[in-house]
Amino acid sequence: MQEQAKSQKILLEEARNTVIARTATSYLELAMVRHSLELLRKQQESAERILGVTQEREKENLELPVAVTKDQLTKARVVQRILQLEGREDELEVFLRSQTGLPENTALEVAPEDLPGSAEQEGANLLAMALQDNASLRVAESDVRAREFRLVGEKRGYYPTLQLVSVYSLLANFNNYDQFFKTFQRHNLNAGVQVQVPLFSAQTKANVALAQVNLDVARTALANKKNEVSAAVRLKTRRLRERDAAKEVARLELQLAQQNVTVLQSQFGEGKVNLRDVERARLDENEKWMAYLDANFQRQQAQVDLLQTAGQLDKVWQ
């Protein structure tokens, strides 16, 4: 029963870690969404300027109507994405207020940031920590210990038992005991020893066999759980490395787009390119910015997932 009580405490810790993971991920996503909205609103302004230039050129018979339609479609897509992200922003704000117990009218201020430095762990270290701190693994270990205690208890059914027995009686005069016994005492105390020696007990044998089977099942479940946790940590470690690589690719693409905007702005000042080319380059830069923000959030999400599997999530924020 004590081991089962420990298991319940471990499950409570796991529920707490789940709340931490969901809240942290939502906070990081809200920061990403708000940053993306800022970029999209700038992108909307660029799309409007591009559309204005194209419409003017169409009036001068320098552009076909299809070019205007393409620019209108670009602007409409930007507006659609803004509306989608505004809806997601509202959902995340409602969720974070409910998780933190903040009033409905409280403004939420978030800032883009990385997880604490202690969240960075090598794969080998995380694997060792997971085998020690993973909640489901600790529950399985507690279950094995509980079944070991049960088996020991059932085996003790084969041992003789010794009981001290005592009975105290208070006899009443109106029962006429004094007329039937030569000596009569109202207060009586009987004490003795009761010894039971089991010679054959089918029930005890069956209980021991059942306890042994349950213990074997628990040990097998524990071994399987260790394999599952080990595989999960390795998988999520590889996934985190993939997210790192994706973030680096997105960063370089953003850097390239920013350099391209710088070049076009310089050429625009020299009269070599028009405003529409510059604005289109800015649209591409904003797209690369949003791709970088998304790649960074995906990496943070994978990191939180890995830390939760390793049982280190609550320690990061201690």
Side-chain angles (χ1 to χ4, degrees):
M1 295 300 293
Q2 289 176 346
E3 288 297 330
Q4 290 177 359
K6 291 180 182 178
S7 297
Q8 294 302 314
K9 291 181 180 179
I10 295 172
L11 293 175
L12 180 60
E13 293 176 9
E14 177 65 9
R16 178 174 177 270
N17 289 335
T18 301
V19 171
I20 291 175
R22 292 178 61 191
T23 305
T25 303
S26 298
Y27 178 91
L28 295 171
E29 185 179 0
L30 180 59
M32 185 264 294
V33 166
R34 287 185 175 177
H35 196 170
S36 299
L37 280 172
E38 293 177 3
L39 295 172
L40 280 173
R41 293 185 178 108
K42 294 179 181 179
Q43 194 169 344
Q44 184 180 10
E45 295 174 359
S46 296
E48 289 174 351
R49 285 192 287 265
I50 292 173
L51 178 60
V53 172
T54 305
Q55 288 174 338
E56 290 295 329
R57 289 175 59 83
E58 182 198 16
K59 292 178 182 178
E60 298 172 0
N61 295 323
L62 297 176
E63 293 286 354
L64 295 174
V66 66
V68 176
T69 303
K70 288 181 179 178
D71 290 342
Q72 288 175 337
L73 178 59
T74 300
K75 177 184 174 182
R77 285 173 174 167
V78 172
V79 173
Q80 181 187 29
R81 293 175 68 182
I82 289 176
L83 292 174
Q84 291 173 343
L85 286 182
E86 285 178 344
R88 183 57 181 165
E89 180 186 22
D90 183 66
E91 292 176 3
L92 291 170
E93 288 178 353
V94 171
F95 176 76
L96 285 173
R97 287 193 186 97
S98 67
Q99 290 294 94
T100 56
L102 294 174
E104 185 177 355
N105 57 354
T106 302
L108 294 179
E109 298 294 334
V110 297
E113 56 183 281
D114 292 328
L115 297 180
S118 58
E120 299 290 346
Q121 298 283 347
E122 296 182 0
N125 293 337
L126 279 177
L127 181 58
M129 293 175 180
L131 294 178
Q132 179 180 356
D133 297 328
N134 179 269
S136 58
L137 197 56
R138 290 165 59 197
V139 170
E141 291 172 347
S142 180
D143 186 50
V144 169
R145 289 192 296 269
R147 295 177 187 274
E148 287 174 345
F149 289 137
R150 171 64 65 182
L151 178 60
V152 171
E154 296 296 348
K155 286 183 176 179
R156 287 175 178 171
Y158 289 121
Y159 300 162
T161 59
L162 177 66
Q163 292 181 327
L164 300 178
V165 182
S166 63
V167 178
Y168 169 74
S169 301
L170 178 60
L171 306 180
N173 290 323
F174 60 80
N175 287 324
N176 298 321
Y177 283 115
D178 54 348
Q179 298 180 11
F180 294 96
F181 299 98
K182 293 182 179 180
T183 58
F184 169 69
Q185 293 181 353
R186 294 190 62 196
H187 300 277
N188 290 269
L189 176 63
N190 296 320
V193 177
Q194 180 179 348
V195 179
Q196 293 181 344
V197 180
L199 299 178
F200 176 77
S201 177
Q203 182 178 358
T204 301
K205 183 178 180 180
N207 291 340
V208 170
L210 178 60
Q212 183 64 58
V213 170
N214 290 335
L215 176 59
D216 293 340
V217 170
R219 286 174 174 170
T220 303
L222 175 60
N224 292 336
K225 182 60 65 175
K226 286 183 178 179
N227 292 333
E228 291 176 7
V229 170
S230 177
V233 170
R234 290 189 175 92
L235 174 63
K236 293 177 181 180
T237 301
R238 289 195 300 269
R239 188 172 299 166
L240 180 58
R241 294 197 188 103
E242 293 172 1
R243 300 301 185 195
D244 281 332
K247 178 183 175 181
E248 180 63 15
V249 170
R251 186 190 68 81
L252 292 174
E253 289 179 345
L254 172 60
Q255 182 178 346
L256 183 61
Q258 290 172 332
Q259 292 172 347
N260 186 42
V261 170
T262 302
V263 171
L264 288 176
Q265 284 177 336
S266 176
Q267 293 177 348
F268 177 73
E270 298 172 358
K272 296 181 180 180
V273 297
N274 56 37
L275 178 63
R276 186 170 56 174
D277 294 331
V278 176
E279 294 300 332
R280 283 177 176 168
R282 286 175 177 165
L283 282 178
D284 183 62
E285 179 190 6
N286 287 337
E287 288 290 338
K288 295 299 187 289
W289 250 117
M290 293 180 62
Y292 173 76
L293 292 175
D294 183 67
N296 185 52
F297 171 68
Q298 295 294 333
R299 182 197 180 278
Q300 292 172 331
Q301 198 172 30
Q303 191 176 10
V304 170
D305 191 22
L306 175 59
L307 290 172
Q308 185 177 10
T309 302
Q312 302 301 308
L313 192 58
D314 56 339
K315 298 179 177 60
V316 171
W317 279 282
Q318 282 183 351

